[in-house]
Coordinates of all heavy atoms in Angstrom, one line a residue:
K1 N 9.6 101.5 77.2 CA 9.3 101.7 75.7 C 10.3 102.8 75.2 O 10.5 103.9 75.8 CB 7.9 102.2 75.6 CG 7.5 102.3 74.1 CD 5.9 102.6 74.1 CE 5.5 102.5 72.7 NZ 4.1 102.6 72.5
Q2 N 10.9 102.5 74.0 CA 11.8 103.5 73.4 C 11.0 104.4 72.5 O 10.2 104.0 71.7 CB 12.8 102.7 72.6 CG 14.0 103.5 72.2 CD 15.1 102.7 71.6 OE1 14.9 101.5 71.3 NE2 16.2 103.3 71.3
L3 N 11.3 105.7 72.7 CA 10.7 106.8 71.9 C 11.5 107.4 70.8 O 11.1 108.2 70.0 CB 10.1 107.9 72.8 CG 9.1 107.5 73.8 CD1 8.8 108.6 74.7 CD2 7.9 106.9 73.1
N4 N 12.8 106.9 70.7 CA 13.7 107.5 69.7 C 13.8 109.0 69.8 O 13.7 109.7 68.7 CB 13.3 107.0 68.3 CG 13.4 105.5 68.2 OD1 14.2 104.9 68.7 ND2 12.4 104.9 67.5
I5 N 14.1 109.6 70.9 CA 14.2 111.1 71.0 C 15.6 111.5 71.4 O 15.8 112.6 71.8 CB 13.2 111.6 72.0 CG1 13.3 111.0 73.4 CG2 11.7 111.5 71.5 CD1 12.5 111.6 74.5
G6 N 16.5 110.5 71.2 CA 17.9 110.8 71.5 C 18.4 110.1 72.7 O 17.7 109.2 73.3
E7 N 19.5 110.4 73.2 CA 20.2 109.6 74.3 C 20.0 110.4 75.6 O 20.8 111.3 75.9 CB 21.7 109.4 74.0 CG 21.9 108.4 72.9 CD 23.3 108.1 72.7 OE1 24.1 108.0 73.6 OE2 23.6 107.8 71.5
Y8 N 18.9 110.1 76.3 CA 18.6 110.8 77.5 C 18.3 109.8 78.6 O 17.7 108.7 78.2 CB 17.4 111.7 77.4 CG 17.6 112.8 76.4 CD1 17.2 112.7 75.2 CD2 18.2 114.0 76.9 CE1 17.4 113.7 74.2 CE2 18.4 115.1 76.0 CZ 18.0 114.9 74.7 OH 18.2 116.0 73.8
E9 N 18.7 110.0 79.8 CA 18.3 109.1 81.0 C 17.3 109.8 81.8 O 17.6 111.0 82.2 CB 19.5 108.7 81.7 CG 19.2 107.7 82.8 CD 20.5 107.3 83.5 OE1 21.5 107.1 82.8 OE2 20.4 107.1 84.7
V10 N 16.2 109.2 82.1 CA 15.2 109.8 82.9 C 15.0 109.0 84.1 O 14.9 107.7 84.0 CB 13.8 109.9 82.1 CG1 12.7 110.4 83.0 CG2 13.9 110.7 80.9
S11 N 15.0 109.6 85.3 CA 14.8 108.9 86.5 C 13.6 109.4 87.2 O 13.2 110.5 87.0 CB 16.1 109.0 87.4 OG 16.3 110.3 87.7
G12 N 13.1 108.5 88.1 CA 11.9 108.9 88.8 C 10.7 108.1 88.3 O 10.8 107.2 87.5
E13 N 9.5 108.4 88.8 CA 8.4 107.7 88.4 C 7.8 108.2 87.2 O 7.8 109.4 86.9 CB 7.3 107.7 89.5 CG 7.7 107.0 90.8 CD 6.6 106.9 91.8 OE1 5.4 106.9 91.4 OE2 6.9 106.8 93.0
I14 N 7.3 107.3 86.3 CA 6.7 107.7 85.0 C 5.2 108.1 85.3 O 4.5 107.3 85.8 CB 6.8 106.6 84.0 CG1 8.3 106.3 83.7 CG2 6.1 106.9 82.7 CD1 8.5 105.1 82.8
E15 N 4.8 109.2 84.8 CA 3.4 109.7 84.9 C 2.6 108.9 83.9 O 3.0 108.9 82.7 CB 3.3 111.2 84.7 CG 1.9 111.7 84.8 CD 1.8 113.2 84.5 OE1 2.8 113.8 83.9 OE2 0.8 113.8 84.8
T16 N 1.6 108.3 84.3 CA 0.7 107.6 83.4 C -0.3 108.6 82.8 O -1.0 109.2 83.5 CB -0.1 106.5 84.0 OG1 0.8 105.6 84.6 CG2 -1.0 105.7 83.1
L17 N -0.2 108.8 81.5 CA -1.2 109.8 80.8 C -2.3 109.0 80.2 O -2.2 107.9 79.7 CB -0.4 110.6 79.8 CG 0.7 111.5 80.4 CD1 1.5 112.1 79.2 CD2 0.2 112.5 81.3
M18 N -3.4 109.8 80.1 CA -4.6 109.2 79.5 C -4.8 109.8 78.1 O -4.3 110.8 77.8 CB -5.9 109.7 80.4 CG -5.8 109.3 81.8 SD -5.6 107.6 82.1 CE -7.2 107.0 81.5
P19 N -5.4 109.0 77.2 CA -5.6 109.4 75.8 C -6.6 110.6 75.7 O -7.7 110.5 76.3 CB -6.0 108.1 75.1 CG -6.6 107.3 76.2 CD -5.9 107.6 77.4
C20 N -6.3 111.5 75.0 CA -7.2 112.7 74.6 C -8.4 112.1 73.9 O -8.2 111.4 72.9 CB -6.4 113.7 73.8 SG -7.5 115.0 73.2
P21 N -9.6 112.6 74.2 CA -10.8 112.1 73.4 C -10.7 112.5 72.0 O -11.3 111.8 71.1 CB -12.0 112.7 74.2 CG -11.4 113.1 75.5 CD -10.0 113.3 75.3
C22 N -10.0 113.6 71.7 CA -10.0 114.0 70.4 C -8.9 113.4 69.5 O -9.2 112.8 68.4 CB -9.8 115.6 70.3 SG -9.7 116.4 68.7
C23 N -7.7 113.5 69.9 CA -6.5 113.1 69.0 C -6.1 111.6 69.4 O -5.4 111.1 68.6 CB -5.4 114.0 69.1 SG -4.5 114.1 70.7
K24 N -6.5 111.1 70.5 CA -6.2 109.8 71.0 C -4.8 109.6 71.4 O -4.3 108.5 71.7 CB -6.5 108.7 70.0 CG -8.0 108.7 69.6 CD -8.8 108.3 70.9 CE -10.3 108.2 70.6 NZ -11.1 108.1 71.8
Y25 N -4.0 110.7 71.5 CA -2.7 110.6 72.0 C -2.6 110.8 73.5 O -3.4 111.5 74.1 CB -1.7 111.7 71.4 CG -1.3 111.3 70.0 CD1 -2.1 111.6 68.9 CD2 -0.1 110.7 69.7 CE1 -1.7 111.2 67.6 CE2 0.3 110.4 68.5 CZ -0.5 110.6 67.4 OH -0.1 110.3 66.1
R26 N -1.7 110.1 74.2 CA -1.7 110.2 75.7 C -1.1 111.5 76.1 O 0.2 111.7 76.2 CB -0.9 109.0 76.2 CG -1.6 107.7 75.9 CD -1.0 106.5 76.6 NE -1.8 105.4 76.4 CZ -2.7 104.9 77.2 NH1 -3.1 105.7 78.2 NH2 -3.4 103.8 76.9
T27 N -1.9 112.5 76.4 CA -1.5 113.9 76.8 C -2.1 114.4 78.1 O -1.7 115.4 78.6 CB -1.7 114.9 75.7 OG1 -3.1 114.8 75.4 CG2 -1.0 114.5 74.4
L28 N -3.1 113.7 78.6 CA -3.9 114.2 79.7 C -3.6 113.4 81.0 O -3.5 112.1 80.9 CB -5.4 114.1 79.5 CG -5.9 114.8 78.2 CD1 -7.3 114.5 77.9 CD2 -5.6 116.3 78.2
S29 N -3.4 114.1 82.1 CA -3.2 113.4 83.4 C -4.4 112.8 84.0 O -4.4 111.7 84.6 CB -2.5 114.2 84.4 OG -3.3 115.4 84.6
V30 N -5.6 113.4 83.7 CA -6.9 112.9 84.2 C -7.9 113.2 83.0 O -7.9 114.3 82.4 CB -7.3 113.7 85.5 CG1 -8.7 113.2 86.0 CG2 -6.3 113.5 86.6
L31 N -8.9 112.3 82.9 CA -10.0 112.6 81.9 C -11.1 113.4 82.5 O -11.4 113.2 83.7 CB -10.5 111.2 81.4 CG -9.5 110.5 80.5 CD1 -10.2 109.1 80.1 CD2 -9.1 111.3 79.3
G32 N -11.7 114.2 81.7 CA -12.9 114.9 82.2 C -12.7 116.0 83.2 O -13.6 116.4 83.9
N33 N -11.4 116.5 83.2 CA -11.1 117.5 84.3 C -10.7 118.9 83.7 O -10.0 119.6 84.3 CB -9.9 117.0 85.1 CG -9.8 117.7 86.5 OD1 -10.8 118.1 87.1 ND2 -8.6 117.7 87.0
Y34 N -11.3 119.1 82.5 CA -11.0 120.4 81.8 C -9.6 120.7 81.5 O -9.1 121.8 81.4 CB -11.7 121.5 82.5 CG -13.2 121.4 82.5 CD1 -13.9 120.8 83.5 CD2 -13.9 122.0 81.5 CE1 -15.2 120.6 83.4 CE2 -15.3 121.9 81.4 CZ -16.0 121.2 82.4 OH -17.3 121.0 82.4
E35 N -8.8 119.6 81.4 CA -7.4 119.8 81.0 C -7.3 119.9 79.5 O -8.1 119.4 78.8 CB -6.6 118.4 81.4 CG -5.3 118.6 81.9 CD -4.6 117.4 82.4 OE1 -5.3 116.6 83.0 OE2 -3.5 117.1 82.0
I36 N -6.4 120.8 79.0 CA -6.2 121.0 77.6 C -5.1 120.2 77.0 O -4.0 120.2 77.6 CB -6.0 122.5 77.4 CG1 -7.2 123.4 77.9 CG2 -5.7 122.8 75.8 CD1 -7.0 124.8 77.8
C37 N -5.4 119.5 76.0 CA -4.4 118.7 75.3 C -3.3 119.5 74.6 O -3.7 120.5 73.9 CB -5.1 117.8 74.2 SG -4.0 116.8 73.2
D38 N -2.1 119.2 74.9 CA -1.0 120.0 74.4 C -0.8 119.8 72.8 O -0.3 120.7 72.1 CB 0.4 119.7 75.0 CG 0.5 120.2 76.4 OD1 -0.2 121.2 76.8 OD2 1.2 119.6 77.2
L39 N -1.4 118.7 72.4 CA -1.2 118.4 70.9 C -2.3 119.0 70.1 O -2.1 119.7 69.2 CB -1.2 116.9 70.7 CG -0.9 116.4 69.3 CD1 0.3 116.9 68.7 CD2 -0.9 114.9 69.3
C40 N -3.5 118.7 70.4 CA -4.7 119.1 69.5 C -5.5 120.3 70.1 O -6.3 120.8 69.5 CB -5.6 117.9 69.3 SG -6.6 117.4 70.7
K41 N -5.2 120.6 71.3 CA -5.8 121.8 72.1 C -7.3 121.6 72.5 O -8.0 122.5 72.9 CB -5.7 123.1 71.3 CG -4.3 123.4 70.8 CD -3.4 123.5 72.0 CE -1.9 123.9 71.6 NZ -0.9 123.5 72.5
W42 N -7.7 120.3 72.5 CA -9.0 120.0 72.9 C -9.1 120.1 74.5 O -8.3 119.6 75.2 CB -9.4 118.5 72.6 CG -10.8 118.1 73.1 CD1 -11.0 117.3 74.2 CD2 -12.1 118.4 72.5 NE1 -12.4 117.1 74.3 CE2 -13.0 117.7 73.3 CE3 -12.5 119.1 71.4 CZ2 -14.4 117.8 73.1 CZ3 -13.8 119.2 71.1 CH2 -14.8 118.6 71.9
E43 N -10.1 120.8 75.0 CA -10.3 120.9 76.4 C -11.2 119.9 76.8 O -12.4 119.8 76.5 CB -10.9 122.3 76.8 CG -11.0 122.5 78.3 CD -11.4 123.9 78.7 OE1 -11.3 124.8 77.8 OE2 -11.8 124.0 79.8
D44 N -10.7 118.9 77.5 CA -11.5 117.7 77.9 C -12.4 117.9 79.0 O -12.1 117.9 80.2 CB -10.5 116.6 78.4 CG -11.2 115.3 78.7 OD1 -12.4 115.1 78.2 OD2 -10.7 114.5 79.5
N45 N -13.7 118.2 78.6 CA -14.7 118.4 79.6 C -15.6 117.2 79.9 O -16.7 117.3 80.5 CB -15.7 119.6 79.1 CG -16.4 119.2 77.8 OD1 -16.0 118.3 77.1 ND2 -17.4 119.9 77.5
G46 N -15.1 116.0 79.5 CA -15.8 114.8 79.7 C -16.7 114.4 78.5 O -17.4 113.3 78.6
T47 N -16.9 115.2 77.6 CA -17.7 114.9 76.4 C -17.1 113.7 75.6 O -15.9 113.8 75.2 CB -17.8 116.1 75.4 OG1 -18.4 117.2 76.1 CG2 -18.7 115.8 74.2
S48 N -17.9 112.7 75.4 CA -17.4 111.5 74.7 C -18.3 111.3 73.4 O -17.9 110.6 72.5 CB -17.3 110.3 75.5 OG -18.5 109.9 76.1
N49 N -19.5 111.9 73.4 CA -20.4 111.7 72.3 C -19.8 112.6 71.1 O -19.6 113.8 71.4 CB -21.8 112.1 72.7 CG -22.8 111.9 71.6 OD1 -22.6 112.4 70.5 ND2 -23.9 111.3 72.0
L50 N -19.7 112.0 70.0 CA -19.1 112.8 68.9 C -19.9 113.9 68.4 O -19.4 114.9 67.9 CB -18.9 111.8 67.7 CG -17.8 110.7 67.9 CD1 -17.8 109.8 66.7 CD2 -16.5 111.4 68.0
D51 N -21.3 113.9 68.6 CA -22.1 114.9 68.1 C -22.7 115.8 69.2 O -23.5 116.7 68.9 CB -23.3 114.3 67.3 CG -22.7 113.6 66.1 OD1 -21.8 114.1 65.3 OD2 -23.1 112.4 65.9
T52 N -22.2 115.8 70.4 CA -22.6 116.7 71.5 C -21.8 118.0 71.4 O -20.5 117.8 71.4 CB -22.6 116.0 72.8 OG1 -23.4 114.9 72.9 CG2 -22.9 117.0 73.9
Y53 N -22.4 119.1 71.4 CA -21.7 120.4 71.4 C -20.9 120.6 72.6 O -21.4 120.4 73.7 CB -22.6 121.5 71.1 CG -22.0 122.9 71.0 CD1 -21.4 123.2 69.8 CD2 -21.9 123.7 72.0 CE1 -20.7 124.4 69.6 CE2 -21.2 125.0 71.9 CZ -20.7 125.3 70.6 OH -20.1 126.5 70.5
S54 N -19.6 120.9 72.6 CA -18.8 121.1 73.8 C -18.6 122.6 73.9 O -17.9 123.3 73.1 CB -17.5 120.5 73.5 OG -16.5 120.9 74.5
G55 N -19.2 123.2 74.9 CA -19.1 124.7 75.2 C -17.7 125.2 75.2 O -17.3 126.2 74.5
P56 N -16.8 124.5 76.0 CA -15.4 125.1 76.2 C -14.7 125.0 74.8 O -13.8 125.8 74.6 CB -14.7 124.1 77.1 CG -15.9 123.5 77.9 CD -17.0 123.4 76.9
N57 N -15.0 124.1 73.9 CA -14.3 123.9 72.7 C -15.0 124.7 71.5 O -14.5 124.7 70.4 CB -14.1 122.4 72.4 CG -13.2 121.8 73.4 OD1 -12.0 122.1 73.5 ND2 -13.8 121.0 74.3
H58 N -16.2 125.0 71.7 CA -17.0 125.7 70.6 C -17.2 124.9 69.4 O -17.3 125.4 68.3 CB -16.4 127.1 70.3 CG -16.2 128.0 71.5 ND1 -17.1 128.6 72.1 CD2 -15.0 128.3 72.1 CE1 -16.7 129.3 73.1 NE2 -15.3 129.1 73.2
M59 N -17.3 123.6 69.6 CA -17.5 122.7 68.5 C -17.8 121.3 69.0 O -17.7 121.1 70.3 CB -16.4 122.6 67.5 CG -15.1 122.0 68.1 SD -13.7 122.0 67.0 CE -13.1 123.7 67.1
T60 N -18.2 120.4 68.2 CA -18.5 119.0 68.6 C -17.1 118.3 68.6 O -16.1 118.7 68.0 CB -19.5 118.3 67.7 OG1 -18.8 118.1 66.4 CG2 -20.8 119.0 67.6
L61 N -17.1 117.1 69.3 CA -15.9 116.3 69.2 C -15.6 115.8 67.8 O -14.4 115.7 67.4 CB -16.0 115.1 70.2 CG -14.9 114.1 70.4 CD1 -13.6 114.9 70.8 CD2 -15.2 113.1 71.5
R62 N -16.7 115.5 67.1 CA -16.5 115.1 65.7 C -15.8 116.1 64.9 O -14.8 115.9 64.1 CB -17.8 114.7 65.0 CG -17.7 114.2 63.6 CD -19.1 113.9 63.0 NE -19.9 113.1 63.8 CZ -19.9 111.7 63.9 NH1 -19.0 111.0 63.2 NH2 -20.7 111.1 64.6
E63 N -16.3 117.4 65.0 CA -15.6 118.5 64.3 C -14.2 118.7 64.7 O -13.3 119.0 63.9 CB -16.4 119.8 64.6 CG -17.8 119.8 63.9 CD -18.7 120.9 64.5 OE1 -18.4 121.5 65.6 OE2 -19.6 121.4 63.8
A64 N -13.9 118.6 66.0 CA -12.5 118.7 66.5 C -11.6 117.6 65.9 O -10.5 117.8 65.5 CB -12.5 118.7 68.0
K65 N -12.1 116.4 65.9 CA -11.4 115.3 65.3 C -11.1 115.5 63.8 O -10.0 115.3 63.3 CB -12.1 113.9 65.5 CG -12.1 113.4 66.9 CD -13.0 112.2 66.9 CE -12.8 111.4 68.2 NZ -11.7 110.5 68.3
E66 N -12.0 116.0 63.0 CA -11.8 116.3 61.6 C -10.8 117.4 61.4 O -9.9 117.3 60.6 CB -13.2 116.7 61.0 CG -14.1 115.5 60.8 CD -15.5 116.0 60.5 OE1 -15.8 117.2 60.3 OE2 -16.4 115.0 60.4
L67 N -10.9 118.4 62.3 CA -9.9 119.5 62.2 C -8.5 119.1 62.6 O -7.6 119.4 61.9 CB -10.3 120.6 63.2 CG -9.6 122.0 63.2 CD1 -9.7 122.6 61.8 CD2 -10.1 122.9 64.3
F68 N -8.4 118.2 63.6 CA -7.1 117.7 63.9 C -6.5 116.8 62.8 O -5.3 116.8 62.5 CB -7.2 116.8 65.2 CG -5.9 116.1 65.6 CD1 -4.9 116.9 66.1 CD2 -5.7 114.8 65.4 CE1 -3.7 116.3 66.5 CE2 -4.5 114.2 65.7 CZ -3.5 115.0 66.2
A69 N -7.3 116.0 62.1 CA -6.9 115.1 61.1 C -6.3 116.0 59.9 O -5.3 115.5 59.2 CB -8.1 114.3 60.6
K70 N -6.8 117.1 59.7 CA -6.3 118.0 58.6 C -4.9 118.6 59.0 O -4.2 119.0 58.1 CB -7.3 119.2 58.4 CG -8.5 118.7 57.7 CD -9.5 119.9 57.5 CE -10.8 119.5 57.0 NZ -11.8 120.6 57.0
K71 N -4.6 118.7 60.3 CA -3.4 119.3 60.8 C -2.2 118.3 61.0 O -1.1 118.8 61.4 CB -3.7 120.1 62.1 CG -4.6 121.3 61.9 CD -4.8 121.9 63.3 CE -5.6 123.1 63.1 NZ -5.9 123.8 64.4
T72 N -2.5 117.0 61.0 CA -1.6 116.1 61.4 C -0.2 116.1 60.7 O 0.9 115.8 61.3 CB -2.1 114.6 61.4 OG1 -2.6 114.4 60.1 CG2 -3.2 114.5 62.4
E73 N -0.2 116.5 59.5 CA 1.0 116.5 58.7 C 2.0 117.6 59.2 O 3.2 117.4 59.0 CB 0.7 116.8 57.2 CG -0.1 115.7 56.5 CD -0.5 116.1 55.1 OE1 0.0 117.2 54.6 OE2 -1.2 115.3 54.5
K74 N 1.5 118.6 59.9 CA 2.4 119.7 60.3 C 2.8 119.5 61.8 O 3.5 120.3 62.3 CB 1.7 121.0 60.2 CG 1.3 121.3 58.7 CD 0.5 122.5 58.7 CE 0.0 122.8 57.3 NZ -0.9 124.0 57.1
L75 N 2.4 118.4 62.5 CA 2.6 118.3 63.9 C 3.7 117.3 64.2 O 3.9 116.3 63.5 CB 1.3 117.8 64.6 CG 0.2 118.8 64.5 CD1 -1.0 118.2 65.1 CD2 0.6 120.1 65.3
P76 N 4.5 117.5 65.2 CA 5.6 116.5 65.6 C 5.0 115.4 66.4 O 5.2 115.2 67.6 CB 6.5 117.4 66.6 CG 5.6 118.4 67.1 CD 4.5 118.6 66.1
L77 N 4.3 114.5 65.7 CA 3.6 113.4 66.4 C 4.5 112.3 67.1 O 4.0 111.6 67.9 CB 2.6 112.7 65.4 CG 1.6 113.6 64.8 CD1 0.7 112.9 63.8 CD2 0.7 114.3 65.9
D78 N 5.7 112.3 66.7 CA 6.6 111.3 67.4 C 6.9 111.6 68.8 O 7.5 110.9 69.6 CB 7.9 111.1 66.6 CG 8.6 112.4 66.4 OD1 8.1 113.5 66.6 OD2 9.9 112.3 66.1
K79 N 6.5 112.8 69.3 CA 6.8 113.3 70.7 C 5.8 112.6 71.6 O 6.1 112.5 72.8 CB 6.6 114.8 70.7 CG 6.8 115.4 72.1 CD 6.7 116.9 72.1 CE 6.9 117.5 73.5 NZ 6.7 118.9 73.5
W80 N 4.6 112.2 71.2 CA 3.6 111.7 72.0 C 3.3 110.2 71.7 O 3.5 109.7 70.6 CB 2.3 112.4 71.8 CG 2.3 113.8 72.4 CD1 2.0 114.1 73.7 CD2 2.6 115.0 71.8 NE1 2.1 115.5 73.9 CE2 2.5 116.1 72.7 CE3 2.9 115.3 70.4 CZ2 2.7 117.4 72.4 CZ3 3.2 116.6 70.2 CH2 3.0 117.6 71.1
V81 N 2.8 109.4 72.7 CA 2.5 108.1 72.5 C 0.9 108.0 72.2 O 0.1 108.6 72.9 CB 2.7 107.2 73.8 CG1 2.3 105.8 73.6 CG2 4.3 107.3 74.1
K82 N 0.6 107.2 71.2 CA -0.8 107.1 70.9 C -1.5 105.9 71.6 O -0.8 105.0 72.0 CB -1.0 106.9 69.3 CG -2.4 107.1 68.9 CD -2.5 107.4 67.4 CE -3.9 107.8 67.1 NZ -4.1 108.1 65.7
E83 N -2.8 106.1 71.9 CA -3.5 105.2 72.7 C -3.3 103.7 72.3 O -3.1 103.3 71.1 CB -5.0 105.5 72.4 CG -6.0 104.6 73.1 CD -7.4 105.0 72.9 OE1 -7.8 105.2 71.7 OE2 -8.1 105.2 73.8

């Protein structure tokens, strides 16, 4: 898949990334393993219910999604692949 990031050659195995529950961009190597998304900063603790409070994130997943939606204009979204 072409990402239009310039003329670079990458060799080796491609790491399959999982979509972040918050932003839906493929940034996590494993789901539910307390990994922090580099894009939206959601700490994936396995919470998938939109209205369940997430202790590590100090908010619900719904609140985090709304917050991310407000910030998307300022982010380099072409760097990541979306779900």
Side-chain angles (χ1 to χ4, degrees):
K1 186 173 185 175
Q2 190 173 9
L3 297 176
N4 297 323
I5 57 173
E7 294 185 28
Y8 297 93
E9 184 175 322
V10 178
S11 60
E13 294 190 30
I14 297 174
E15 179 182 16
T16 303
L17 296 175
M18 305 302 293
C20 170
C22 179
C23 68
K24 298 297 183 194
Y25 283 85
R26 293 186 176 275
T27 59
L28 305 174
S29 59
V30 177
L31 291 177
N33 201 29
Y34 293 90
E35 217 175 313
I36 298 174
C37 174
D38 287 333
L39 181 56
C40 70
K41 306 305 181 201
W42 176 260
E43 185 172 345
D44 181 27
N45 63 340
T47 301
S48 59
N49 184 311
L50 291 175
D51 298 312
T52 299
Y53 185 80
S54 169
N57 296 290
H58 306 286
M59 66 182 80
T60 67
L61 184 53
R62 183 183 310 279
E63 292 168 332
K65 285 175 170 274
E66 290 170 359
L67 188 62
F68 177 75
K70 291 177 184 175
K71 295 180 180 181
T72 56
E73 293 177 7
K74 300 176 186 175
L75 297 171
L77 298 178
D78 58 340
K79 181 179 175 181
W80 288 274
V81 177
K82 196 160 186 180
E83 178 180 51

